[in-house]
Amino acid sequence: MLDQLPEIELEDRGSKGRYLLRGPDGAEAEMTFTKIGEHQIIIDHTEVPDAFRGQGAGLRLVTRAVEDARAAGKKIIPLCPFANAQFHRHPEWADVLKQ
């Protein structure tokens, strides 16, 4: 069962980056971010193709960003409507939410 859930990849391109899930058919679910200084990131876009719908792919991407931000002592500004909605549903993430 676990082999159906691909690993989340992190592509870091300096000031920008993305978290990525690749499907077996080549589909990609992604969440892009922009770094603001050393201590903040903006989640600016989440895109989940139909191949990933209903599998929690978007939530997995945001959760990974939260875990990484927490580990690095960073704050997240969720400008993406999907990510923003997830922060409202997960009050336990308040420690990484930029107020």
Side-chain angles (χ1 to χ4, degrees):
M1 185 87 179
L2 285 177
D3 58 8
Q4 293 178 341
L5 292 175
E7 280 296 306
I8 295 174
E9 300 172 41
L10 170 59
E11 291 181 359
D12 191 330
R13 299 191 181 112
S15 65
K16 293 190 174 285
R18 68 181 183 150
Y19 289 94
L20 179 68
L21 280 167
R22 295 182 202 269
D25 58 355
E28 293 182 349
E30 70 170 3
M31 186 191 71
T32 61
F33 63 88
T34 302
K35 296 177 193 171
I36 305 297
E38 294 291 310
H39 304 291
Q40 296 179 62
I41 68 164
I42 293 173
I43 295 176
D44 36 39
H45 182 68
T46 305
E47 186 165 338
V48 178
D50 289 340
F52 285 99
R53 296 262 185 240
Q55 299 175 44
L59 177 58
R60 285 186 61 211
L61 292 168
V62 178
T63 301
R64 169 69 188 274
V66 167
E67 291 167 353
D68 287 357
R70 189 174 279 144
K74 295 184 179 183
K75 296 287 187 185
I76 295 175
I77 303 167
L79 292 186
C80 160
F82 175 80
N84 191 33
Q86 293 305 315
F87 269 90
H88 285 289
R89 289 188 188 116
H90 295 275
E92 69 275 16
W93 295 349
D95 60 313
V96 298
L97 179 62
K98 175 72 175 168
Q99 298 296 342

